[in-house]
Amino acid sequence: MRIGIDIRSLLEPYPSGISVYTRAITRSLLGVASQDDFVLFTNAATPLPERIRTLFPSDRVQFVETHWPNKFFNMSEAWLGYPPLDRLVGGVDVFFFPNLMFGAVSLQSRLVITAHDLSFQYPGFYHGKSRLWHRVVRPERLYHRADQIIAVSESTKRDLITQFGIAADRITVVYHGIDTEPYEQIDEQSVERFRDTHQLTHPYVLFIGTVSERKNVESVLAVWSDLRRQRVISHDLVIAGHTHDHRLEQQYPGVHFLGYVPDEWKPALYRGANLVVYPSFHEGFGLPVLEAFAASTPVVASHGTAVAEIADTAALTVDPYNQAELAVVIRAALRDQNLRRILVERGRRRVRAFTWKQAAEHTYQILTTPRV
């Protein structure tokens, strides 16, 4: 069987959760599908970096690169359906989009798309270029064209059914995995080096993720400021993630804004934190929650979306719109040592349920299921 995979997300300058997923699921599929050939597609002005090629060391992998201007290529795919990606790469039995992307596939190939979340449907979460991008890519059209959709949570599956009218039998839930080894093996010396490098001299509460309206970072900043002003807690606040709004750094000069943190630093970042706070308004999965569990760090997260589904009983959940509740729970999570111990143990057990091997096995079954 010949399987095409769109790996354009790996070219992002600040790799996001989608990039993590694309890299991990593709690598894991290579291990699961031992007899199949893979064609990995990218389009960029420059040649594919060697760091990406070395992620997939297999003689069953073929890279197909095109170098069309992105805007021209994307508009041609979105509005003309040309060129069909399956034909562009020399023909495949199935083409897999690990995320929503500009792309057309001919009827000669099956199409499988992973839906991470439908947050773009909610006013206020995206602005400017991001809103325009989602409008032009036409998600509803792509999802209806797909032969099968992989939803990363039951929450995302429900959104696909209720908001786009996708038939339930065309959607399969496949959870992300996580490589726990780097988090379990991190030592205290590495944590101290990280703290010294970033001048983190006090215990800290961690928020990690792209700093945007959807992630509710302003509530975290407001609650932390109030708790510090009342002298209820003495912890610093660390914000780790790419931000488009640098005014926050000017408004909260006492906060450590680390910016984008590469993967190799994440285990030390999580392990060094006393608490991870992740009260997003909307999430399709919530990978930072699992990363915190793997690092044995307690978590406060939002209920009502996929985060609570993924965390189960291993995190304290709050109403993301209720700052008073968030403040009470943060205070309890920092002060109650018995509660912290319980959360850490539950997190360690919960994270074992999420492996990339299992995710790849389920994904491979979907990719190889004949069209009905």
Side-chain angles (χ1 to χ4, degrees):
M1 189 173 186
R2 190 169 160 88
I3 300 171
I5 303 180
D6 181 348
I7 61 167
R8 281 177 284 176
S9 67
L10 298 184
L11 300 174
E12 293 179 359
Y14 300 101
S16 63
I18 288 175
S19 301
V20 171
Y21 170 79
T22 300
R23 180 183 66 218
I25 199 66
T26 302
R27 285 171 58 89
S28 299
L29 280 169
L30 290 174
V32 169
S34 58
Q35 304 299 318
D36 300 287
D37 295 320
F38 290 82
V39 184
L40 308 186
F41 169 74
T42 61
N43 178 73
T46 57
L48 188 66
E50 192 61 25
R51 63 177 174 80
I52 294 179
R53 289 182 177 275
T54 56
L55 291 173
F56 313 106
S58 172
D59 56 7
R60 293 181 293 113
V61 171
Q62 174 191 355
F63 292 92
V64 174
E65 303 177 56
T66 57
H67 303 288
W68 297 14
N70 259 324
K71 290 182 180 178
F72 174 77
F73 182 79
N74 291 344
M75 290 306 98
S76 182
E77 290 291 309
W79 298 106
L80 302 178
Y82 182 84
L85 296 187
D86 56 310
R87 295 179 182 174
L88 185 62
V89 302
V92 292
D93 297 289
V94 58
F95 208 101
F96 176 38
F97 282 16
N99 65 300
L100 199 62
M101 184 61 81
F102 289 100
V105 174
S106 77
L107 294 177
Q108 280 65 52
S109 171
R110 292 194 310 111
L111 174 62
V112 175
I113 300 177
T114 295
H116 293 271
D117 65 71
L118 269 66
S119 58
F120 52 84
Q121 290 288 96
Y122 295 82
F125 287 162
Y126 292 95
H127 300 285
K129 289 183 179 179
S130 293
R131 293 182 66 180
L132 177 62
W133 188 93
H134 284 98
R135 188 177 300 120
V136 176
V137 80
R138 297 193 289 174
E140 186 171 2
R141 176 187 62 87
L142 272 174
Y143 288 139
H144 277 283
R145 159 63 183 90
D147 293 274
Q148 281 289 311
I149 301 171
I150 295 171
V152 300
S153 63
E154 293 290 347
S155 176
T156 296
K157 179 176 180 176
R158 287 193 299 271
D159 284 349
L160 287 166
I161 294 169
T162 58
Q163 298 191 37
F164 287 155
I166 308 294
D169 61 0
R170 293 181 49 230
I171 309 169
T172 304
V173 175
V174 180
Y175 289 141
H176 289 343
I178 180 173
D179 179 10
T180 60
E181 187 174 345
Y183 297 88
E184 294 168 346
Q185 294 186 350
I186 191 71
D187 54 43
E188 290 305 315
Q189 289 82 3
S190 299
V191 174
E192 286 304 314
R193 281 198 300 272
F194 177 83
R195 294 172 65 96
D196 290 344
T197 299
H198 295 280
Q199 299 180 327
L200 303 176
T201 57
H202 297 98
Y204 62 89
V205 173
L206 172 65
F207 170 94
I208 184 166
T210 303
V211 181
S212 64
E213 288 85 350
R214 177 168 67 96
K215 300 293 186 178
N216 199 17
V217 65
E218 292 201 28
S219 287
V220 177
L221 287 162
V223 167
W224 173 83
S225 296
D226 286 345
L227 291 175
R228 282 290 295 255
R229 186 165 48 250
Q230 297 167 21
R231 298 186 178 181
V232 173
I233 63 172
S234 58
H235 291 69
D236 285 354
L237 177 64
V238 172
I239 305 290
H242 183 58
T243 179
H244 302 286
D245 186 358
H246 294 286
R247 291 174 301 176
L248 290 175
E249 299 180 29
Q250 299 169 1
Q251 295 173 24
Y252 299 93
V255 178
H256 301 271
F257 286 89
L258 302 188
Y260 178 76
V261 176
D263 286 347
E264 57 267 27
W265 280 112
K266 281 186 177 179
L269 171 67
Y270 279 105
R271 180 64 65 84
N274 284 49
L275 180 70
V276 170
V277 182
Y278 197 69
S280 296
F281 291 122
H282 189 278
E283 288 291 335
F285 188 81
L287 190 58
V289 172
L290 292 186
E291 292 171 337
F293 289 169
S296 298
T297 303
V299 176
V300 171
S302 53
H303 63 59
T305 65
V307 176
E309 174 187 338
I310 301 308
D312 198 26
T313 62
L316 298 176
T317 57
V318 299
D319 178 354
Y321 295 92
N322 189 331
Q323 291 187 6
E325 182 182 350
L326 179 60
V328 169
V329 174
I330 287 176
R331 180 180 179 180
L334 289 174
R335 287 188 155 192
D336 189 332
Q337 294 301 314
N338 187 54
L339 174 62
R340 293 171 56 77
R341 180 187 57 77
I342 292 171
L343 291 173
V344 167
E345 288 302 319
R346 287 180 178 177
R348 286 172 179 164
R349 290 196 300 269
R350 181 61 177 163
V351 78
R352 296 190 195 114
F354 300 87
T355 69
W356 285 118
K357 183 176 185 295
Q358 180 174 286
E361 289 172 345
H362 291 170
T363 300
Y364 182 66
Q365 289 175 1
I366 296 165
L367 293 175
T368 56
T369 300
R371 178 183 285 156
V372 178

